[in-house]
Amino acid sequence: MNRLIKYCCLLLATLSAFTACTKTEDLPDLPQDRILEYHVSNVPAGESLYGAVDQTTKTITVYIPFYYGLELIDPEIKLSSGARLSEEIAPITIDTQNQTYTVIAANGTRNTYTLKIVQQNTPQLVLTWANSGYPTTKPIAYPVRILPNIRGNFYSNNPALVKVSLQSRNTKKEVVLNSMNTSVRLTPVSGQINNYQLSNVPIPASIDTGRHDVKINYLGYDVTLADPINIQYQAPQINYNPSQIVKQGAEISYDAYPQLVILNPTSVKVTANGQVYDFKIVKHSFEAITLQVPDNFPTGQGYYTAITTFQGWPSRTNTLNLSISPK
């Protein structure tokens, strides 16, 4: 009898343990306002780049290797099921700071993530002028022309990553040059390892003359070249080559001669049939000049000698091809 009682007790204990082990409890629902994946889609073919999403600190960290040559990132973002972003997903430059993404779940809860872009750069950026005879011959440049070539360990063919600015030592005025111009090139130097050349960077017409410090910003580096660039004007000249059809008393316009600027013109005098006529200067800029034909200038078509005078510069003698009709 005692054995039967012991057996029944053991059986009850076993059944109780089995019942306790098979009991299930519902796990808490996962948050539905999360960024699950941050993928950079515009990397070179065969490569992949993902941001590290930290659900605790609500940050997304993207490491950008310099050899990708990226100036911006184009993200693809994967969210929790049913969630949406309050912001538009758009490409952003790699120097963007304080970019955030707010995820809104289907039930209305929100989470805001902060993007951190970390540029993994070269150990250092070493740059120098590449003009012939340097450093004995110091670099010189001219408005509306181009900056002398610059060489260094850019490790990239993308000139859009390079920001070039010139700061006048006299006026302290700083001008950012247009490295996005289609003529600008960043190319490897033949026969030299890890040496690249930046070329064809245009200089605006309105830049101050004199010595300028040349500052290069590239992938987080800020470098000022050892020697400044000396910006000088060349003797101004107006391009009178295009023929003009105009009425007496009307206005005509001419551009500056290619790669030159128009500086302080004081008069334009045109000789016709032995008589000198004063073409009034209506307006002018570095790039163009507008003149007014005198009311009594002879009608008809002809080639005429024009003498243009400039303040502080030699006069220029040109030929005008004009077809003049009555006023």
Side-chain angles (χ1 to χ4, degrees):
M1 183 66 180
N2 289 335
R3 288 183 179 180
L4 179 60
I5 293 173
K6 289 180 179 180
Y7 174 78
C8 290
C9 290
L10 179 62
L11 180 61
L12 287 172
T14 302
L15 289 175
S16 297
F18 178 78
T19 302
C21 291
T22 57
K23 183 179 179 181
T24 60
E25 294 183 2
D26 293 333
L27 296 174
D29 292 335
L30 292 174
Q32 295 301 302
D33 50 8
R34 288 185 171 185
I35 290 178
L36 303 180
E37 183 179 281
Y38 192 94
H39 175 228
V40 178
S41 63
N42 60 316
V43 295
E47 300 285 345
S48 60
L49 182 61
Y50 291 86
V53 182
D54 190 321
Q55 302 295 353
T56 302
T57 62
K58 298 298 183 289
T59 57
I60 306 162
T61 306
V62 181
Y63 295 90
I64 309 291
F66 68 87
Y67 49 81
Y68 280 173
L70 298 182
E71 59 188 286
L72 53 83
I73 61 174
D74 191 2
E76 296 175 350
I77 302 176
K78 183 179 178 181
L79 306 175
S80 300
S81 178
R84 61 182 175 85
L85 283 177
S86 63
E87 301 86 0
E88 177 186 3
I89 302 176
I92 55 176
T93 59
I94 62 171
D95 58 356
T96 297
Q97 298 181 3
N98 302 319
Q99 172 70 41
T100 60
Y101 300 99
T102 298
V103 185
I104 304 174
N107 63 2
T109 61
R110 293 170 176 250
N111 250 329
T112 298
Y113 294 77
T114 301
L115 177 66
K116 298 180 180 179
I117 300 177
V118 180
Q119 300 179 43
Q120 296 178 305
N121 299 330
T122 58
Q124 59 181 335
L125 180 62
V126 180
L127 303 176
T128 185
W129 292 109
N131 57 289
S132 177
Y134 181 79
T136 302
T137 303
K138 302 304 181 183
I140 298 174
Y142 308 94
V144 304
R145 300 188 72 174
I146 60 174
L147 200 66
N149 295 343
I150 296 171
R151 288 186 181 177
N153 57 334
F154 289 103
Y155 293 93
S156 173
N157 290 330
N158 188 356
L161 296 173
V162 186
K163 295 180 181 178
V164 184
S165 62
L166 306 183
Q167 185 174 36
S168 170
R169 289 191 170 182
N170 292 328
T171 66
K172 304 305 178 183
K173 177 182 176 182
E174 187 167 351
V175 177
V176 178
L177 305 188
N178 182 14
S179 62
M180 299 291 287
N181 188 290
T182 56
S183 66
V184 180
R185 296 288 182 269
L186 185 58
T187 53
V189 178
S190 178
Q192 299 186 26
I193 299 175
N194 299 333
N195 203 8
Y196 291 73
Q197 183 161 282
L198 180 69
S199 59
N200 297 336
V201 180
I203 300 174
S206 59
I207 194 167
D208 293 335
T209 54
R211 300 187 187 281
H212 289 68
D213 287 316
V214 181
K215 302 178 180 181
I216 308 291
N217 177 275
Y218 176 73
L219 295 180
Y221 289 110
D222 288 294
V223 175
T224 299
L225 294 187
D227 285 296
I229 187 78
N230 189 3
I231 304 292
Q232 301 178 356
Y233 283 130
Q234 295 175 289
Q237 187 171 352
I238 300 169
N239 184 13
Y240 288 116
N241 290 328
S243 60
Q244 297 271 13
I245 300 174
V246 65
K247 291 183 178 182
Q248 293 173 320
E251 296 179 357
I252 53 176
S253 295
Y254 296 96
D255 293 330
Y257 204 79
Q259 296 189 333
L260 294 174
V261 294
I262 299 172
L263 299 169
N264 303 320
T266 56
S267 70
V268 178
K269 298 186 181 297
V270 181
T271 300
N273 301 330
Q275 184 174 346
V276 178
Y277 295 85
D278 186 10
F279 277 47
K280 178 183 176 182
I281 299 174
V282 178
K283 60 181 179 180
H284 69 87
S285 65
F286 290 115
E287 294 86 7
I289 188 170
T290 299
L291 308 173
Q292 185 176 28
V293 178
D295 291 341
N296 60 343
F297 195 83
T299 59
Q301 191 276 333
Y303 291 88
Y304 307 97
T305 299
I307 298 177
T308 306
T309 57
F310 303 89
Q311 182 180 346
W313 296 95
S315 300
R316 292 278 192 177
T317 300
N318 301 89
T319 299
L320 273 62
N321 181 4
L322 297 176
S323 180
I324 307 294
S325 58
K327 187 173 180 179

